[in-house]
Amino acid sequence: MSNYTVKRTIIGQLERGTDLHNGITRIVQEHGISVGRVTGMGAVQRAILAYYDQKTMTYENIALNGPLEIVSMYGNISTRDGKPFAHVHVVLSDERGNGKGGHLIAGGTPVFACEVTIEEFDGPPLVRGFDERTGLALWPENTQL
Amino acid sequence: MSNYTVKRTIIGQLERGTDLHNGITRIVQEHGISVGRVTGMGAVQRAILAYYDQKTMTYENIALNGPLEIVSMYGNISTRDGKPFAHVHVVLSDERGNGKGGHLIAGGTPVFACEVTIEEFDGPPLVRGFDERTGLALWPENTQL
Amino acid sequence: MSNYTVKRTIIGQLERGTDLHNGITRIVQEHGISVGRVTGMGAVQRAILAYYDQKTMTYENIALNGPLEIVSMYGNISTRDGKPFAHVHVVLSDERGNGKGGHLIAGGTPVFACEVTIEEFDGPPLVRGFDERTGLALWPENTQL
């Protein structure tokens, strides 16, 4: 368990056509944000999300065709492979208002419009490493609450 | 890209029967919050959401009858037409737990109970203006991240 | 209406197998967080959510079998029955990316992996009490925005 304070909050938008995950990754790496939180809203032209199969320990992609609202985007920022890494989930909705959701991957999700708020936190580093039990890149054991 | 700090955080609830978007608009205008973030949860008696048709560049309304949980509400606050304006998306769920979502419009979404947190940010003004490429009222180009 | 400031932000993870609501409750009670906000993401092994029936004023449980992503978790922290209490909603998604959502109850939702951010706020106490009109444990009238 570690305590953090908010260092700064960045607000802005992603350019139309930018891949959503790649765009966020570029921002957090350019600004050297090693611990943080990302939230946002907007719309995408289409999306590829991922669902983690807890048995096979692999991500399976879900292609969502057609324009979708980004109802909410939530993610955290920590370090993976020596670089700032954003772990992001999104809730999307279609033209009938049906909710979709999942883990955002790099590629396949071009932005139509996206308004983003990124909070950078001051505090101990948060570094991801391979966790055998889940097959995921998780934070270390001493971050258990 | 602009940096902001949190000026204050307002926590409270909306009265039963208040229209969700109108209620938030009243609060941000009464308190003169020109840059901020709104989050919340609760339930609504029914809802009208909107989905943006990226081809025709028009919002289409989606009527959701019957009581729904507000699973999450997320929005940002900036200036539009000279006044504080809240751009809000909501995730709702029905009695079977099915997720719905979209862009919150003024009118048609009476609150059953709603607990709201509004963060006011200190920093450069954020002013919406018409964007030809998307047909939306977006922030200016210099806010691109 | 009351103003708050962020006192500290706690970031960490819940251990695999922990019940999601019980885990959050333990943390906020151990740390004596009487006003706050909890956000998070991850995955659960299965879930039991609740939907509030606004007519009968009772919660009805919704069992969701099988592994699900926690697309977003949002909650507030206040005092109920003299103890810190977390009111939490979650958006989940299944292997086809379909969104589910509702009110998180204690029990029935074991964590697969969950990354949590808890903000503790400084400011006036927020105490829940029974509200006759809704049948819910709400904050007092003077918190109306």
Side-chain angles (χ1 to χ4, degrees), chain B residues 60-83:
Chain B
E60 295 184 13
N61 286 357
I62 301 160
L64 300 169
N65 297 315
L68 298 148
E69 300 286 317
I70 304 170
V71 192
S72 90
M73 175 167 71
Y74 178 85
N76 58 50
I77 300 159
S78 54
T79 298
R80 183 173 174 176
D81 301 327
K83 284 180 289 194

Side-chain angles (χ1 to χ4, degrees), chain C residues 79-92:
Chain C
T79 298
R80 184 175 173 173
D81 300 328
K83 283 181 288 194
F85 170 79
H87 179 205
V88 182
H89 284 186
V90 287
V91 184
L92 307 172

Side-chain angles (χ1 to χ4, degrees), chain C residues 16-65:
Chain C
R16 188 178 170 187
T18 309
D19 177 72
L20 185 50
H21 195 276
N22 288 338
I24 293 165
T25 299
R26 182 186 52 72
I27 298 162
V28 301
Q29 293 188 349
E30 271 182 21
H31 294 278
I33 299 171
S34 55
V35 184
R37 180 167 56 178
V38 52
T39 60
M41 65 193 300
V44 292
Q45 298 170 33
R46 61 189 174 277
I48 299 180
L49 303 182
Y51 168 84
Y52 193 68
D53 185 320
Q54 298 175 14
K55 276 194 191 151
T56 62
M57 293 190 181
T58 51
Y59 276 110
E60 293 184 15
N61 286 356
I62 301 161
L64 300 169
N65 297 317

Side-chain angles (χ1 to χ4, degrees), chain A residues 18-34:
Chain A
T18 309
D19 178 72
L20 185 52
H21 195 275
N22 288 340
I24 293 166
T25 299
R26 182 186 52 72
I27 298 163
V28 300
Q29 292 187 350
E30 271 183 20
H31 294 278
I33 298 171
S34 55

Side-chain angles (χ1 to χ4, degrees), chain A residues 48-54 58-64 89-92 98-104, chain B residues 96-99, chain C residues 42-47 49 62-72 90-101:
Chain A
I48 299 180
L49 302 182
Y51 168 85
Y52 193 70
D53 185 320
Q54 297 175 15
T58 51
Y59 276 109
E60 294 183 14
N61 286 357
I62 301 161
L64 300 170
H89 284 186
V90 287
V91 184
L92 306 171
N98 287 326
K100 309 286 176 181
H103 175 87
L104 188 64
Chain B
R96 286 177 303 172
N98 287 327
Chain C
V44 292
Q45 298 170 33
R46 61 189 174 277
L49 303 182
I62 301 161
L64 300 169
N65 297 317
L68 298 149
E69 299 286 316
I70 304 171
V71 193
S72 90
V90 287
V91 184
L92 307 172
S93 65
D94 66 16
E95 74 282 359
R96 287 177 301 172
N98 288 326
K100 308 288 176 180

Side-chain angles (χ1 to χ4, degrees), chain B residues 26-120:
Chain B
R26 182 184 54 72
I27 298 163
V28 300
Q29 293 188 349
E30 272 182 20
H31 294 280
I33 299 171
S34 55
V35 184
R37 179 166 57 178
V38 52
T39 60
M41 65 193 300
V44 292
Q45 297 170 33
R46 59 189 177 276
I48 299 180
L49 303 182
Y51 168 85
Y52 193 68
D53 185 319
Q54 297 175 15
K55 276 194 188 150
T56 62
M57 292 190 182
T58 51
Y59 275 109
E60 295 184 13
N61 286 357
I62 301 160
L64 300 169
N65 297 315
L68 298 148
E69 300 286 317
I70 304 170
V71 192
S72 90
M73 175 167 71
Y74 178 85
N76 58 50
I77 300 159
S78 54
T79 298
R80 183 173 174 176
D81 301 327
K83 284 180 289 194
F85 171 79
H87 179 206
V88 182
H89 285 187
V90 287
V91 185
L92 306 172
S93 66
D94 66 16
E95 75 282 359
R96 286 177 303 172
N98 287 327
K100 308 289 176 180
H103 175 87
L104 189 64
I105 61 169
T109 308
V111 163
F112 180 73
C114 186
E115 297 167 350
V116 180
T117 297
I118 297 175
E119 291 148 290
E120 181 177 20

Side-chain angles (χ1 to χ4, degrees), chain A residues 21-22 24-36 76-87 118 120 126-128:
Chain A
H21 195 275
N22 288 340
I24 293 166
T25 299
R26 182 186 52 72
I27 298 163
V28 300
Q29 292 187 350
E30 271 183 20
H31 294 278
I33 298 171
S34 55
V35 185
N76 58 51
I77 301 159
S78 54
T79 298
R80 182 172 174 176
D81 300 328
K83 283 181 288 196
F85 171 79
H87 179 206
I118 298 175
E120 181 177 20
L126 265 177
V127 181
R128 291 185 182 277

